Amino acid sequence: MPEIGEVARIVHYLKKHLVGKTISKVQVQDDPIVYGKVGTTAAQFQQSVTGKKVVDVGQQGKMFWPPHPVLNLGMTGWIKFSNDESGHYKPTKTQDPESWPPRFWKFILETKESPKTEAAFVDPRRLARIRLLDCPGEKIKQTKPLSDNGPDPVQDKDTLTLEWFTKKVQSKRVPVKAFLLNQANISGVGNWVGDEILYHARIHPEQYTNSLSSAQTAQLHSSLIHICTTAVDLLVDSAQFPETWLENYRWDKGKKTGSKLPNGAKIVFLTVGGRTSAVVPSVQKKTGPVAGDIGGEDTEESESDDDPKPEKSESDEEEKTKPQKKTKPQPKASASKLKSQPSGQPKKEDSNPAPSASKKRKAAEKEPVATPKKAKKSAAAAAATSDDVPRRSPRVSRRG
């Protein structure tokens, strides 16, 4: 998922190619999720942006805006340029250059000035969000949804002081990783950035925030500012990451050697705050209560309200309603017939006289009509009493 560093990279390229230029043409593809989930339509976006001059691009955490569209990249959103490579990874040599327009585009902006540039917003998984805000540019951070988010560790250092951070941390009782992921607390921290912060702070991600010492809180604050600032300054170019960063080694998961640091320290993976977390147990010690140790665990909100929620599968529902197989009960008619036979005096089939017509009628009234196969039941079995024939007997339970 694009986090604070990835968004900073997008902002860098938007400033490079769009700021100071006029948008002469806007192509859109209507998407009721990407636009509609936040009360916008593709047509409204097109009308709002066409002919406008881009005067600036801003950022708060994972959100950014060329006034006044406000964009959230979601899980897989990105902005691509027709004349520049904005990706934070390089495609392999075996890959063919991508044709234009790129796949999964939601809108394409074309500049009026030369050289002409086209910028395409793409999102394969449709978890990105495109909004339009009606407010003065200087008031955009005081307008929802930006006003609902916590301070940005890079843009809002004057607000995100150690004093403010300590009060915020101590007021919560949640796993510290979940605290960092909640955008209402801090803007821009996602999964890999959160893991990097906690590794450098030497704090276990499951430990509760209100159990952190003042020294741990100060170290967490320092790591938060340092990791986010470095990621933004480097535009998340992983080739330039310091060798001491966990991000350089966590991706060996699943290989024979496993994920390890250069010194041999093992990297393990836990689920915390709904995300897979990379942890180095030899460094990140549990020094206080952790998630699962205390009943009634408090939880933070998910990283994004737009994240899909897990649903029960159809197979789970079928299993829930599927009737259980039961043993066929012993027919009552057979039981009454068995009880009518004298105990210990089984009849022999050859010596039994043929029943009269009246007896046949009485038997028909008392018993259900038997199939020809059932009618040939052994008379000896029929002559036994209910005490002699156990109800669990398969023979008795299957035959009438």
Side-chain angles (χ1 to χ4, degrees), residues 163-200:
E163 181 182 2
W164 180 93
F165 185 73
T166 300
K167 290 180 180 179
K168 192 75 171 178
V169 166
Q170 292 300 318
S171 68
K172 304 284 185 177
R173 179 183 171 276
V174 293
V176 64
K177 173 71 178 289
F179 171 85
L180 292 173
L181 292 181
N182 189 339
Q183 302 301 292
N185 297 326
I186 309 291
S187 290
V189 177
N191 197 42
W192 80 262
V193 171
D195 287 347
E196 200 69 51
I197 292 169
L198 292 170
Y199 168 67
H200 285 266

Coordinates of all heavy atoms in Angstrom, one line a residue, residues 163-200:
E163 N 5.7 16.1 23.6 CA 4.6 16.3 24.6 C 3.3 15.9 24.0 O 2.5 15.2 24.7 CB 4.6 17.8 25.0 CG 3.6 18.1 26.1 CD 3.5 19.6 26.5 OE1 4.3 20.4 25.9 OE2 2.7 19.9 27.4
W164 N 3.0 16.4 22.8 CA 1.7 16.0 22.2 C 1.6 14.5 22.0 O 0.6 13.8 22.3 CB 1.5 16.7 20.9 CG 0.2 16.4 20.1 CD1 -0.9 17.1 20.2 CD2 0.0 15.2 19.3 NE1 -1.9 16.5 19.4 CE2 -1.3 15.3 18.8 CE3 0.8 14.2 18.8 CZ2 -1.9 14.4 18.0 CZ3 0.2 13.2 18.0 CH2 -1.1 13.4 17.5
F165 N 2.7 13.9 21.5 CA 2.8 12.5 21.2 C 2.6 11.6 22.5 O 1.9 10.6 22.5 CB 4.1 12.1 20.5 CG 4.2 10.7 20.1 CD1 3.5 10.3 19.0 CD2 5.0 9.8 20.7 CE1 3.6 9.0 18.5 CE2 5.2 8.5 20.3 CZ 4.5 8.1 19.2
T166 N 3.3 12.0 23.6 CA 3.2 11.3 24.8 C 1.8 11.3 25.4 O 1.3 10.2 25.8 CB 4.1 11.9 25.9 OG1 5.5 11.9 25.4 CG2 4.1 11.2 27.2
K167 N 1.1 12.4 25.3 CA -0.3 12.4 25.8 C -1.2 11.5 25.0 O -2.1 10.8 25.5 CB -0.8 13.9 25.8 CG -0.2 14.8 26.8 CD -0.8 16.2 26.7 CE -0.2 17.1 27.8 NZ -0.7 18.5 27.7
K168 N -1.0 11.5 23.7 CA -1.8 10.7 22.7 C -1.5 9.2 23.0 O -2.5 8.5 23.1 CB -1.4 11.1 21.3 CG -2.4 10.5 20.2 CD -3.6 11.3 20.2 CE -4.5 10.9 19.1 NZ -5.8 11.7 19.1
V169 N -0.3 8.8 23.1 CA 0.0 7.4 23.4 C -0.5 6.9 24.7 O -1.1 5.8 24.8 CB 1.6 7.2 23.3 CG1 2.0 5.9 23.8 CG2 2.1 7.4 21.9
Q170 N -0.4 7.7 25.7 CA -0.8 7.3 27.1 C -2.3 7.3 27.2 O -2.8 6.6 28.1 CB -0.2 8.2 28.1 CG 1.3 8.0 28.3 CD 1.7 6.6 28.6 OE1 1.1 6.0 29.5 NE2 2.8 6.1 28.0
S171 N -3.0 8.0 26.3 CA -4.5 8.0 26.4 C -5.1 6.8 25.8 O -6.3 6.6 25.9 CB -5.0 9.3 25.7 OG -4.8 9.2 24.3
K172 N -4.3 6.0 25.1 CA -4.8 4.8 24.4 C -4.4 3.5 25.1 O -3.4 3.5 25.8 CB -4.3 4.8 23.0 CG -4.7 6.0 22.2 CD -6.1 6.0 21.7 CE -6.4 7.2 20.8 NZ -7.8 7.2 20.3
R173 N -5.2 2.5 24.9 CA -4.8 1.2 25.4 C -5.0 0.2 24.3 O -6.0 -0.6 24.2 CB -5.7 0.8 26.6 CG -5.4 -0.6 27.2 CD -6.3 -1.0 28.3 NE -6.2 -2.4 28.7 CZ -6.8 -3.4 28.2 NH1 -7.6 -3.1 27.1 NH2 -6.6 -4.6 28.6
V174 N -4.1 0.2 23.4 CA -4.2 -0.6 22.1 C -2.8 -1.1 21.8 O -1.8 -0.5 22.3 CB -4.7 0.2 21.0 CG1 -6.2 0.5 21.2 CG2 -3.9 1.5 20.7
P175 N -2.6 -2.1 21.0 CA -1.3 -2.5 20.6 C -0.6 -1.3 19.8 O -1.3 -0.7 19.0 CB -1.5 -3.7 19.6 CG -2.8 -4.3 20.1 CD -3.6 -3.1 20.6
V176 N 0.6 -1.1 20.1 CA 1.3 0.1 19.5 C 1.3 0.1 18.0 O 1.2 1.2 17.4 CB 2.7 0.2 20.1 CG1 3.6 -0.9 19.7 CG2 3.4 1.6 19.7
K177 N 1.4 -1.1 17.4 CA 1.3 -1.1 15.9 C 0.0 -0.6 15.4 O -0.1 0.2 14.4 CB 1.6 -2.5 15.4 CG 1.4 -2.8 13.9 CD 2.5 -2.1 13.1 CE 2.4 -2.4 11.6 NZ 2.7 -3.8 11.2
A178 N -1.1 -1.0 16.0 CA -2.4 -0.6 15.6 C -2.6 0.9 15.8 O -3.2 1.6 15.1 CB -3.5 -1.3 16.4
F179 N -2.0 1.4 16.9 CA -2.0 2.9 17.1 C -1.3 3.6 16.0 O -1.9 4.7 15.5 CB -1.3 3.2 18.5 CG -1.0 4.6 18.7 CD1 -2.0 5.4 19.3 CD2 0.2 5.2 18.4 CE1 -1.8 6.8 19.5 CE2 0.4 6.6 18.6 CZ -0.6 7.4 19.2
L180 N -0.2 3.2 15.5 CA 0.5 3.8 14.5 C -0.2 3.8 13.1 O -0.2 4.7 12.3 CB 1.9 3.2 14.3 CG 2.9 3.5 15.4 CD1 4.2 2.7 15.2 CD2 3.2 4.9 15.6
L181 N -0.9 2.7 12.9 CA -1.7 2.5 11.6 C -2.9 3.3 11.5 O -3.4 3.6 10.4 CB -2.0 1.0 11.4 CG -0.9 0.1 11.2 CD1 -1.4 -1.3 11.0 CD2 0.0 0.5 10.0
N182 N -3.5 3.7 12.7 CA -4.7 4.5 12.7 C -4.5 5.9 12.2 O -3.8 6.7 12.9 CB -5.3 4.5 14.1 CG -6.7 5.1 14.1 OD1 -7.1 5.8 13.2 ND2 -7.5 4.7 15.1
Q183 N -5.0 6.3 11.0 CA -4.7 7.6 10.5 C -5.3 8.8 11.3 O -4.9 9.9 11.1 CB -5.3 7.7 9.0 CG -4.7 6.6 8.1 CD -3.2 6.7 8.0 OE1 -2.6 7.6 7.4 NE2 -2.5 5.7 8.5
A184 N -6.3 8.4 12.2 CA -6.8 9.5 13.1 C -5.8 9.9 14.1 O -5.9 11.0 14.7 CB -8.1 9.0 13.8
N185 N -4.8 9.0 14.4 CA -3.7 9.4 15.3 C -2.6 10.0 14.6 O -2.2 11.1 15.0 CB -3.2 8.1 16.0 CG -4.3 7.4 16.9 OD1 -5.1 8.1 17.5 ND2 -4.3 6.1 16.9
I186 N -2.0 9.4 13.6 CA -0.9 9.8 12.9 C -1.2 9.6 11.4 O -1.6 8.5 11.0 CB 0.4 9.1 13.2 CG1 0.6 9.1 14.8 CG2 1.6 9.7 12.5 CD1 1.0 10.4 15.4
S187 N -0.9 10.6 10.6 CA -1.1 10.5 9.1 C 0.1 9.9 8.4 O 1.2 10.3 8.7 CB -1.4 11.9 8.5 OG -2.7 12.3 8.9
G188 N -0.2 9.0 7.5 CA 0.9 8.5 6.6 C 1.6 7.2 6.9 O 2.2 6.6 6.1
V189 N 1.4 6.7 8.2 CA 2.1 5.5 8.6 C 1.3 4.3 8.1 O 0.1 4.2 8.5 CB 2.4 5.4 10.1 CG1 3.0 4.1 10.5 CG2 3.2 6.6 10.5
G190 N 1.9 3.4 7.4 CA 1.3 2.2 6.9 C 2.1 1.0 7.5 O 2.9 1.1 8.4
N191 N 2.0 -0.1 6.8 CA 2.5 -1.4 7.4 C 4.0 -1.4 7.4 O 4.6 -1.6 8.5 CB 2.0 -2.6 6.5 CG 2.1 -3.9 7.3 OD1 1.9 -3.9 8.4 ND2 2.6 -4.9 6.6
W192 N 4.7 -1.2 6.3 CA 6.2 -1.3 6.4 C 6.8 -0.2 7.1 O 7.8 -0.4 7.9 CB 6.7 -1.5 4.9 CG 6.9 -0.2 4.2 CD1 6.1 0.3 3.2 CD2 8.0 0.7 4.2 NE1 6.6 1.5 2.7 CE2 7.8 1.7 3.3 CE3 9.2 0.7 5.0 CZ2 8.7 2.8 3.1 CZ3 10.1 1.8 4.8 CH2 9.8 2.8 3.8
V193 N 6.3 1.0 7.0 CA 6.8 2.1 7.8 C 6.6 1.9 9.3 O 7.5 2.1 10.1 CB 6.1 3.5 7.4 CG1 6.5 4.6 8.3 CG2 6.6 3.8 5.9
G194 N 5.4 1.4 9.7 CA 5.2 1.1 11.1 C 6.2 0.0 11.6 O 6.7 0.2 12.8
D195 N 6.4 -1.0 10.8 CA 7.4 -2.0 11.3 C 8.8 -1.4 11.4 O 9.5 -1.8 12.4 CB 7.4 -3.2 10.3 CG 6.2 -4.1 10.3 OD1 5.4 -3.9 11.3 OD2 6.0 -4.8 9.4
E196 N 9.2 -0.6 10.5 CA 10.5 0.1 10.6 C 10.6 0.9 11.8 O 11.7 0.9 12.5 CB 10.7 0.9 9.3 CG 12.2 1.2 9.0 CD 13.0 -0.1 8.6 OE1 12.5 -0.8 7.7 OE2 14.0 -0.3 9.2
I197 N 9.6 1.7 12.1 CA 9.6 2.6 13.3 C 9.8 1.7 14.6 O 10.6 2.1 15.4 CB 8.3 3.4 13.3 CG1 8.3 4.4 12.2 CG2 8.2 4.1 14.7 CD1 6.9 5.1 12.0
L198 N 9.0 0.7 14.7 CA 9.0 -0.1 15.9 C 10.3 -0.9 16.0 O 10.8 -1.1 17.2 CB 7.8 -1.1 15.9 CG 6.5 -0.4 16.1 CD1 5.3 -1.4 15.8 CD2 6.3 0.2 17.5
Y199 N 10.9 -1.3 14.9 CA 12.2 -2.0 15.0 C 13.3 -1.1 15.5 O 14.1 -1.4 16.4 CB 12.6 -2.5 13.6 CG 14.0 -3.0 13.5 CD1 14.5 -4.1 14.2 CD2 14.9 -2.3 12.7 CE1 15.8 -4.5 14.1 CE2 16.2 -2.7 12.6 CZ 16.7 -3.8 13.3 OH 18.0 -4.2 13.2
H200 N 13.3 0.2 15.0 CA 14.3 1.1 15.4 C 14.1 1.6 16.8 O 15.0 1.9 17.6 CB 14.4 2.3 14.5 CG 15.0 2.0 13.2 ND1 16.4 2.2 12.9 CD2 14.6 1.4 12.0 CE1 16.7 1.8 11.7 NE2 15.6 1.4 11.1

